[in-house]
Amino acid sequence: MSLTRTVYLRLRDEILTCKLAPGLEISEAELAQQFEVSKTPVREALAQLRQEGLVRTFPRRGYQISPITFGDMNELFDLRTILEAGAAELACEQITDDMLVELRELAVVAYEKDETQTIANFIAANRRFHMAIAAASGNSRLVNILARQIDELERFFYIGAQMRDVNSETNTDHLEIVDALARRDRKAARDLMIRHNDLTRQGLFQSLAMSRQAGTISL
């Protein structure tokens, strides 16, 4: 793996998990020292992250971790709901028994609020759950677009999981979705996916609005 790729993956992980907080200003020199590399791979990694919307640049000031806003979250959830509702319908026609077994296993993954690694495992399982349903739709373009939306929402999920326990509601919703897929019930799968996304959005909004993190998130 190239140095640029290594730096990119580490930076991306720290941004998505909010180890590098939204709005934080960073410099090539600081990051090069932290990662013990020259400025060139750092600059190239930051350019890629900028293309993904995770980093912003300012002339003569350096870089900033892109802030997150309630408006961003609303738009991302709107798009995610549209994509996933359609994916759930299509998946009813093509999902296999092996896929259903995997989804049931992913649906019951839990975490501890004060344990960072369990949160990371939970969010990874949640991503795999939703991406597996998208993959079962058989539409590769839908899969690629949804992957980008889920990545952009990941920072919100880390913040939300640290502020409130979403184990029960997530597991319950996911298992109901799996049951609908197993019955090949297109309408139920679509409706349950829409409800799940709406409840997740509402929970995040409420938690963020009442938390200390709200000061770093704008409208």
Side-chain angles (χ1 to χ4, degrees):
M1 188 181 297
S2 69
L3 277 177
T4 297
R5 181 67 176 171
T6 300
V7 173
Y8 162 77
L9 290 174
R10 287 183 62 183
L11 277 174
R12 190 174 185 275
D13 178 70
E14 292 190 7
I15 292 171
L16 292 179
T17 59
C18 295
K19 291 177 183 176
L20 290 174
L24 178 70
E25 294 192 1
I26 54 178
S27 72
E28 290 178 6
E30 291 171 345
L31 293 173
Q33 183 177 18
Q34 177 185 340
F35 296 138
E36 299 181 339
V37 297
S38 68
K39 290 183 181 179
T40 300
V42 171
R43 185 179 304 119
E44 292 172 349
L46 288 168
Q48 189 170 348
L49 291 166
R50 180 188 176 194
Q51 290 181 342
E52 296 178 14
L54 294 174
V55 167
R56 303 196 303 187
T57 59
F58 296 95
R60 295 178 297 279
R61 277 179 53 193
Y63 302 84
Q64 181 190 47
I65 306 302
S66 296
I68 53 181
T69 71
F70 286 114
D72 290 336
M73 189 168 74
N74 236 355
E75 288 186 359
L76 287 167
F77 265 106
D78 283 344
L79 182 53
R80 180 179 176 180
T81 300
I82 292 169
L83 293 170
E84 290 206 290
E89 279 193 288
L90 293 173
C92 285
E93 306 301 322
Q94 303 190 57
I95 198 161
T96 66
D97 290 341
D98 287 343
M99 289 178 180
L100 289 168
V101 170
E102 179 187 8
L103 286 175
R104 288 192 190 280
E105 292 174 353
L106 294 171
V108 295
V109 174
Y111 72 97
E112 297 292 335
K113 276 179 59 178
D114 299 323
E115 295 182 11
T116 303
Q117 187 55 55
T118 65
I119 293 176
N121 293 342
F122 176 82
I123 290 175
N126 180 72
R127 187 184 195 282
R128 286 170 57 200
F129 178 89
H130 286 276
M131 291 307 303
I133 294 174
S137 74
N139 188 314
S140 60
R141 288 180 173 81
L142 187 157
V143 172
N144 291 333
I145 295 172
L146 181 61
R148 176 68 182 271
Q149 308 315 309
I150 291 179
D151 284 346
E152 290 194 65
L153 279 166
E154 194 160 316
R155 290 193 289 174
F156 290 102
F157 294 151
Y158 267 95
I159 294 172
Q162 291 168 348
M163 290 188 298
R164 68 189 188 100
D165 185 344
V166 298
N167 282 304
S168 179
E169 66 184 65
T170 301
N171 295 348
T172 299
D173 284 359
H174 282 186
L175 287 171
E176 288 181 353
I177 291 168
V178 176
D179 287 340
L181 292 171
R183 298 194 307 270
R184 307 305 198 263
D185 188 332
R186 290 171 61 99
K187 183 179 186 306
R190 177 185 181 83
D191 291 347
L192 287 167
M193 188 64 80
I194 291 172
R195 189 191 71 176
H196 174 56
N197 274 304
D198 284 345
L199 290 175
T200 301
R201 183 199 323 226
Q202 292 169 18
L204 277 172
F205 262 97
Q206 292 169 3
S207 295
L208 291 170
M210 294 186 295
S211 78
R212 294 177 183 176
Q213 295 276 4
T216 65
I217 303 173
S218 59
L219 296 175

